[in-house]
Amino acid sequence: MCWILVVEGARLPLWSMAVWSLWSLLLCEALFPVVVTSVQVQGQVGGSALLVAERPPGFQVREAIWRCLWPSEELLATFFRDSLETLYHSRFLGRTQLHSNLSLELRPLESGDSGNFSVLLVDKEGRAWTQTLQLKVYDAVPRPVVQVFIAISGDAQPLKTCQVFLSCWAPNISDITYSWRREGTLDLGVEPGDLFMDRQLLSVSLGPGDKGVAYSCIVSNPVSWDLATVTPWESCHQEAAPGKASYKDALLVVVPVLLLLILAGLSAWRWGPCSGKKKDACADEVAPETENPLV
């Protein structure tokens, strides 16, 4: 536990006492840090994030300092002699609010605001308490785009089954997950074996009883989500046209993935026997028959 020396009765200008108190707090934290387990905070671009200053029971705060620790250390807000101050030159200037409970609110959030923050609290007896918080800011998830790829048969007979590939994609976004939902049934999920390419591609086989069945692709991150819904049977009796794609187009999606897997396997097989060996030694072991004796 760290103690801050307070000189009773000292007559110093207010600004001098504030500077002295600030330097004392930072020195105390450097020499005797008391760190609370880091807290995870999530926010969305354009929204707000509340960094809560927690304290031990019975801890009566006299002074507080909020700082941004990463990617660069910056002073954000202070509480000194019952006065709240946030007008410090930093990338958060004009976007911070220090509440009466000493929690710090940041708004509106920007994509570059992710990082580590620290609050240093000192009670009326001079004891210091430090807490670190990690803020992660995410972009809002856009509406995904779903394409329907249909395997069209060569005869003119009415289709009894229809093989469909549904491809889902969310533009200009990262840190998202994909999932699929079959609408209008008790079992809303889909079989894991029908999903490919990190769940972005769904393969389904439809029959006449599935004419009204719709599938939804859901994209999400920790702070937002969106979906797009299609009814694939509507495309099963139509030949490839603008907006509809045949099985040949589906191959353009599936075949490149399979080729990459095959190339990766061949690369591992080719370089596996030579792993960890010198190039010359490996060449001697692999192709000794290429050496011809001198005549």
Side-chain angles (χ1 to χ4, degrees):
M1 190 67 67
C2 180
W3 296 77
I4 303 295
L5 177 63
V6 180
V7 180
E8 297 292 343
R11 296 182 179 274
L12 295 174
L14 183 59
W15 67 270
S16 299
M17 295 186 64
V19 173
W20 168 256
S21 177
L22 177 61
W23 278 104
S24 299
L25 290 173
L26 296 178
L27 179 62
C28 176
E29 183 188 30
L31 296 177
F32 306 100
V34 181
V35 181
V36 180
T37 303
S38 179
V39 177
Q40 299 283 340
V41 181
Q42 298 171 343
Q44 180 178 314
V45 171
S48 64
L50 185 64
L51 308 180
V52 179
E54 298 181 352
R55 67 200 74 175
F59 195 93
Q60 298 181 351
V61 179
R62 186 190 70 195
E63 297 165 353
I65 297 177
W66 275 101
R67 291 177 295 156
C68 174
L69 304 179
W70 187 91
S72 61
E73 184 169 342
E74 298 174 304
L75 183 62
L76 303 181
T78 58
F79 172 73
F80 177 71
R81 286 199 169 187
D82 298 326
S83 177
L84 304 175
E85 181 62 65
T86 59
L87 297 178
Y88 294 99
H89 182 72
S90 72
R91 58 195 174 99
F92 295 95
L93 181 62
R95 298 191 291 127
T96 59
Q97 180 181 358
L98 188 59
H99 294 276
S100 58
N101 63 355
L102 301 181
S103 294
L104 185 66
E105 184 176 1
L106 305 176
R107 65 177 179 181
L109 291 175
E110 300 175 358
S111 57
D113 290 343
S114 297
N116 298 327
F117 297 79
S118 172
V119 57
L120 174 62
L121 306 176
V122 177
D123 70 359
K124 295 182 178 180
E125 298 180 357
R127 294 173 299 183
W129 182 269
T130 302
Q131 182 183 4
T132 59
L133 303 95
Q134 185 179 31
L135 173 64
K136 176 62 175 177
V137 180
Y138 296 89
D139 291 310
V141 172
R143 182 175 296 275
V145 177
V146 177
Q147 289 182 289
V148 182
F149 299 91
I150 311 130
I152 302 177
S153 61
D155 54 34
Q157 300 297 323
L159 292 176
K160 295 183 178 180
T161 61
C162 180
Q163 187 67 33
V164 176
F165 292 93
L166 304 179
S167 173
C168 185
W169 174 68
N172 302 325
I173 195 72
S174 59
D175 297 322
I176 63 173
T177 57
Y178 293 84
S179 60
W180 291 87
R181 185 172 65 196
R182 178 184 169 99
E183 306 289 355
T185 60
L186 295 178
D187 184 11
L188 299 179
V190 296
E191 293 295 331
D194 297 330
L195 297 171
F196 308 94
M197 295 176 60
D198 293 331
R199 308 177 71 89
Q200 288 185 250
L201 184 66
L202 172 65
S203 173
V204 293
S205 181
L206 304 175
D210 300 319
K211 292 181 179 180
V213 175
Y215 287 84
S216 294
C217 173
I218 306 169
V219 293
S220 62
N221 63 18
V223 297
S224 64
W225 65 276
D226 207 337
L227 60 81
T229 303
V230 295
T231 305
W233 182 263
E234 297 175 354
S235 306
C236 287
H237 292 275
Q238 302 177 16
E239 294 184 358
K244 308 299 180 182
S246 68
Y247 74 97
K248 296 180 180 179
D249 297 317
L251 293 178
L252 296 178
V253 177
V254 178
V255 171
V257 178
L258 295 178
L259 289 178
L260 288 176
L261 294 176
I262 294 173
L263 290 176
L266 291 176
S267 178
W269 175 81
R270 171 64 179 84
W271 297 105
C274 300
S275 176
K277 297 183 179 181
K278 294 183 178 179
K279 181 177 180 181
D280 294 341
C282 180
D284 292 340
E285 294 181 9
V286 174
E289 65 276 6
T290 60
E291 298 181 1
N292 295 322
L294 297 176
V295 178

